[in-house]
Amino acid sequence: MGRALVTGGAGFIGSHLVDALIEAGDEVVVFDDFTGGFKRNIPPGVVVCRGSISREQDVADAFAYGPFEVVFHLAAYAAEGLSHFIKRFNYENNLVGSVNLINASVNSDVGHFVFLSSAAVYGHARGRLTELDAPQPIDSYGIAKLSVEIELSITERMFGMPYTVFRPHNVYGPRQNIADRYRNVIAIFINQMMRGEPLSIFGDGTQRREFSHVGDVIPALVAAPGLPRARNEVFNVGHDISCSIIDLADRVRAEFDDPHHPVLHLPARDEVATIELSHDKASQVFGLAPPRSLEVGLSEMVAWARSLGPQRPRWTAQLEIPRGLPTSWN
């Protein structure tokens, strides 16, 4: 592949991608503002450009480390529910920042642009969803991700820059930011267990999600730029078996050998009740191995989190609309 830029490369999914690219023999430059990433996630010797994708000059500084054959764009603040209350922050980071990268990539003749979108684009759509199902985002985060997908398609038509879009869902695993109390329920539960706090569940916990281990998502991202069948395509990527939130709580409690750890049911919030995605297209194009089970993945993540220790929840942005915020988020 050659030289690659990875935005969000100090973060959870991004750092695993950096490892995989280096293992494949590629040169990697990490571009990250470290609001959700950590230096400990970056392998020694990797070039790091510290900055924000939402600032044009920072993007220009990152591209000065090029030229890049591929840009992997993973930088985002991926808090779906919270995005209603941080609309400007969401769009500046997840939409305007992405456009800054797209502009720089076109002007630098980048050979391929890989974008990590989200299953949030599907919203309340029902059934086992394929990439042909119409997106119906219900939050600002999903709207931003879908807008970038559309922009990439338009940019390819106008300027010929090929791209690949991935729509992951509920990705978990080692290096996830367990200090973020607004997203990633597995990470939240694990940190609450280690802090001796009740596991917080919105509503009755019957919401269902397909939890995807990060190690099962990365191979498709690495392979995409070299596969003609992945050119200008969109792929769902992740696990096929769903789990309810209340069942997940039981599984996490079991991993800590504390089956009676308290659970706190909070008022239900506006969220997707169930999401199930078809991954047939990705399996056919990338020849992916069967994903690991939730039991195996949870055990691995809990062992990693215990080595890290409990983390104090933190948040760096300001709420823009405090009205209607779930009481537990105040």
Side-chain angles (χ1 to χ4, degrees), residues 61-106:
D61 291 344
F63 273 78
Y65 288 94
F68 299 110
E69 282 75 24
V70 182
V71 169
F72 292 92
H73 178 28
L74 282 71
Y77 186 70
E80 289 183 53
L82 190 64
S83 68
H84 294 291
F85 310 98
I86 53 169
K87 294 181 183 295
R88 183 181 64 252
F89 180 85
N90 167 72
Y91 288 120
E92 286 176 350
N93 282 269
N94 297 335
L95 179 53
V96 175
S98 298
V99 171
N100 288 339
L101 286 168
I102 291 171
N103 286 346
S105 296
V106 171

Side-chain angles (χ1 to χ4, degrees), residues 10 63 75 83 150 165 170 188 202 223 231 238 258 277 284 287 330:
F63 273 78
S83 68
I150 296 170
V165 170
N170 299 287
I188 291 171
F202 290 100
R231 185 185 176 107
D258 188 3
L277 303 187
Q284 292 168 6
N330 286 325

Side-chain angles (χ1 to χ4, degrees), residues 3 6 10 14 70 87 106 108 129 134 136 138 141 156 158 164 166 180 187 202 209 221 233 248 264 270 326:
R3 195 167 181 82
V6 179
V70 182
K87 294 181 183 295
V106 171
S108 301
L129 305 172
Q136 303 175 39
I138 63 168
Y141 174 71
E156 190 280 329
M158 286 293 297
T164 304
F166 290 97
D180 192 329
F202 290 100
R209 300 290 185 267
L221 274 67
E233 294 289 345
L248 175 67
L264 177 63
D270 182 23

Side-chain angles (χ1 to χ4, degrees), residues 11-168:
F12 166 44
I13 302 177
S15 65
H16 285 277
L17 174 61
V18 169
D19 287 347
L21 291 171
I22 292 173
E23 186 176 348
D26 299 311
E27 292 184 74
V28 178
V29 174
V30 167
F31 182 27
D32 204 299
D33 65 3
F34 290 91
T35 55
F38 302 91
K39 290 182 179 179
R40 64 175 181 258
N41 292 341
I42 303 174
V46 172
V47 175
V48 178
C49 180
R50 184 163 192 154
S52 171
I53 61 171
S54 62
R55 292 192 290 267
E56 285 186 85
Q57 185 56 55
D58 288 357
V59 173
D61 291 344
F63 273 78
Y65 288 94
F68 299 110
E69 282 75 24
V70 182
V71 169
F72 292 92
H73 178 28
L74 282 71
Y77 186 70
E80 289 183 53
L82 190 64
S83 68
H84 294 291
F85 310 98
I86 53 169
K87 294 181 183 295
R88 183 181 64 252
F89 180 85
N90 167 72
Y91 288 120
E92 286 176 350
N93 282 269
N94 297 335
L95 179 53
V96 175
S98 298
V99 171
N100 288 339
L101 286 168
I102 291 171
N103 286 346
S105 296
V106 171
N107 289 331
S108 301
D109 294 319
V110 165
H112 202 100
F113 194 103
V114 177
F115 174 54
L116 200 69
S117 183
S118 170
V121 302
Y122 291 114
H124 283 310
R126 295 183 176 274
R128 185 157 291 279
L129 305 172
T130 76
E131 295 83 356
L132 297 177
D133 285 294
Q136 303 175 39
I138 63 168
D139 51 55
S140 301
Y141 174 71
I143 293 170
K145 287 294 191 179
L146 181 60
S147 298
V148 178
E149 291 188 19
I150 296 170
E151 181 58 50
L152 283 169
S153 177
I154 292 170
T155 300
E156 190 280 329
R157 189 172 71 244
M158 286 293 297
F159 304 107
M161 183 178 71
Y163 67 91
T164 304
V165 170
F166 290 97
R167 293 171 177 169

